[in-house]
Amino acid sequence: MKEKRTLMLPGPTPIPKKARLAGAEEIIGHRELECEELLEEVVEGLKYVFQTKNDVLVLTCSGTGGLEASIANTLSKGDKVLSLCTGAFGERYATIAENYGVNVERLDFNWGESIDIDLVEEKLEADNKIKAILMTHNETSTGVINHPKPIGKLAQKYDCLLLIDAVSSLAGIELKTDEWAADVVVTSSQKALMTSPGLCLVSVSPKALKAGESADLPKFYWSFKRAKDRYDAKKQTPSTPAISTLYMLREVLREIKEEGLENVFRRHKIVTKAIRESMKAIGLKLLVSDKIASKTVTAVKLPQGIEYNVLRQKLIDDYNVYITGSKGQLKGQVFRIGHLGNVSRIDILSTISALELALLKLGFEVELGIGLQAAQKVFYEEERR
């Protein structure tokens, strides 16, 4: 009998049953009142999750499209930006800007480390021509959180924009868009928003919209102005949206509101702690310290003598459990477990059990059940609080 698929990726993530069923709703015209009402409810629900009163725009694309849009709508060719790179996705944000002819200064940090705020301020203090800071809230390739709050304070102090890649963090890790002075925040539907791929959601501050008035980079499909004007006038998108995904996202946003954001964040923290404690108990080494560890994905160093592709395939073939590797400098050195969105405690326990068995079969000495015990202890202690 085929095992149940256990999807432990940093995205796409498992979709709640009600949301899956909502995606099967009859398709409607994207200029009908029914679709306008659907979009309006989604936007209001997103403002709750973004913790913002700013405009939230719905783009039909992946998160990468939203990152590209954040550059095209706020900057001009030759503008200088400071890109904070702590891994593959921080580097990709910088590359997107470079492809638009933006003058990018990369501030590189070791993979597995978080942003050094003092170094960021040194750069801003030394150069008054920096128009924007690019940062990745949750560096998925390494499993590191970079905290936006102090960066937002620096952006205000030195009068530049703060553009945030929150693709793998929003709705899983606290991000107070307005309070932390984030000008553009980009996320996508298939991560902690636990919906199918196809939508990118972007919050845009008045400061970012003002910057867009003089931005000369080319845009049409990516235009924030077109998206805002159409929504303000008719509660529509300029082009046809992913209607079925909107149905699903509406249901998920209702569930998030019912659970409450603080409870959502706490659930992610507990699951993260369970994963990390279980890996330590098994005898595996974590890539990053607990202090800067992501609450949506955990990077684990591969034991000597075990190849990532072999471990991954063993988990799939024997237990139908899906994990992923890393990119760039860490390719082949770590595996990553995603634990965001609709990931249950049972999913966590199943994954740990499968991992113990797979490692044992591949020659790694592990006491079966030791990782499970560590995770169970975390869950038990948290439930008693």
Side-chain angles (χ1 to χ4, degrees):
M1 187 176 189
K2 186 69 173 175
E3 301 279 350
K4 169 187 173 291
R5 181 191 296 263
T6 304
L7 201 63
M8 303 299 289
L9 306 175
T13 61
I15 301 171
K17 183 177 181 179
K18 285 185 179 179
R20 295 201 309 271
L21 293 174
E25 288 283 351
E26 185 178 10
I27 207 71
I28 55 176
H30 65 295
R31 300 303 184 212
E32 295 177 15
L33 176 61
E34 189 177 352
C35 192
E36 293 169 9
E37 292 172 344
L38 168 62
L39 186 62
E40 185 175 19
E41 184 177 346
V42 165
V43 168
E44 290 308 306
L46 287 168
K47 287 184 177 183
Y48 171 72
V49 178
F50 275 94
Q51 300 186 65
T52 187
K53 294 181 180 178
N54 295 336
D55 290 287
V56 175
L57 308 176
V58 176
L59 308 178
T60 303
C61 59
S62 67
T64 305
L67 297 176
E68 187 165 329
S70 74
I71 301 296
N73 284 277
T74 59
L75 298 165
S76 296
K77 190 171 183 178
D79 278 351
K80 190 166 188 179
V81 302
L82 181 64
S83 186
L84 312 180
C85 303
T86 58
F89 291 95
E91 291 183 358
R92 186 168 69 171
Y93 207 174
T95 300
I96 292 170
E98 288 168 345
N99 274 272
Y100 269 91
V102 174
N103 180 8
V104 178
E105 180 172 355
R106 298 187 184 215
L107 184 53
D108 293 315
F109 300 91
N110 292 332
W111 286 38
E113 296 180 2
S114 60
I115 292 167
D116 185 326
I117 303 302
D118 292 336
L119 290 180
V120 177
E121 182 155 25
E122 284 179 18
K123 290 289 185 181
L124 294 171
E125 180 70 36
D127 191 344
N128 62 6
K129 292 184 179 180
I130 292 172
K131 297 287 185 69
I133 303 169
L134 313 182
M135 72 169 292
T136 305
H137 183 205
N138 186 69
E139 180 49 71
T140 326
S141 65
T142 61
V144 166
I145 292 179
N146 294 303
H147 294 291
K149 185 177 181 179
I151 307 295
K153 288 181 178 178
L154 291 178
Q156 289 180 309
K157 180 178 179 179
Y158 293 96
D159 192 27
C160 54
L161 297 170
L162 174 57
L163 314 183
I164 300 178
D165 169 357
V167 170
S168 65
S169 63
L170 196 88
I173 304 171
E174 180 91 272
L175 203 173
K176 298 181 178 180
T177 298
D178 293 357
E179 186 178 325
W180 295 350
D183 293 298
V184 180
V185 178
V186 179
T187 196
S188 58
S189 53
Q190 79 277 13
K191 304 283 187 173
L193 287 173
M194 41 192 169
T195 306
S196 63
L199 290 177
C200 177
L201 307 315
V202 187
S203 72
V204 188
S205 74
K207 183 179 175 182
L209 291 171
K210 181 69 176 176
E213 293 175 5
S214 57
D216 67 6
L217 294 177
K219 54 205 164 274
F220 180 78
Y221 186 76
W222 299 136
S223 171
F224 286 170
K225 185 178 186 305
R226 288 184 70 237
K228 175 176 165 53
D229 288 351
R230 188 77 188 202
Y231 184 78
D232 288 348
K234 295 190 174 182
K235 298 293 184 290
Q236 297 177 358
T237 54
S239 305
T240 310
I243 295 170
S244 295
T245 308
L246 281 173
Y247 276 131
M248 300 170 78
L249 182 55
R250 179 174 65 179
E251 180 57 44
V252 165
L253 291 168
R254 288 171 176 173
E255 293 186 19
I256 289 175
K257 187 68 178 291
E258 182 179 352
E259 184 177 359
L261 269 183
E262 289 305 317
N263 291 326
V264 171
F265 298 144
R266 181 173 180 272
R267 172 164 53 80
H268 280 80
K269 289 177 182 177
I270 293 169
V271 164
T272 300
K273 185 177 180 181
I275 283 283
R276 292 180 66 82
E277 291 303 313
S278 71
M279 296 301 105
K280 294 173 188 176
I282 289 170
L284 298 174
K285 294 181 179 180
L286 297 164
L287 180 66
V288 307
S289 68
D290 291 344
K291 185 177 180 181
I292 60 172
S294 166
K295 302 301 182 288
T296 59
V297 58
T298 295
V300 185
K301 294 182 180 180
L302 281 159
Q304 188 173 3
I306 294 182
E307 296 182 8
Y308 162 68
N309 287 331
V310 175
L311 175 61
R312 174 182 177 275
Q313 201 59 48
K314 175 64 70 174
L315 286 168
I316 292 172
D317 290 345
D318 292 1
Y319 309 108
N320 212 10
V321 170
Y322 288 74
I323 59 170
T324 190
S326 193
K327 303 171 181 289
Q329 299 175 21
L330 295 175
K331 187 173 182 179
Q333 298 179 41
V334 305
F335 64 89
R336 294 179 298 147
I337 301 172
H339 39 82
L340 62 166
N342 185 36
V343 172
S344 71
R345 288 169 295 181
I346 297 302
D347 291 327
I348 298 297
L349 296 173
S350 297
T351 300
I352 295 167
S353 177
L355 185 60
E356 287 182 346
L357 288 164
L359 287 169
L360 189 62
K361 290 178 181 179
L362 293 174
F364 181 78
E365 291 187 13
V366 56
E367 179 185 340
L368 290 179
I370 195 166
L372 280 173
Q373 289 179 31
Q376 288 172 327
K377 184 177 180 181
V378 170
F379 290 141
Y380 179 71
E381 289 176 349
E382 292 294 338
E383 286 170 2
R384 296 183 68 190
R385 290 187 180 182

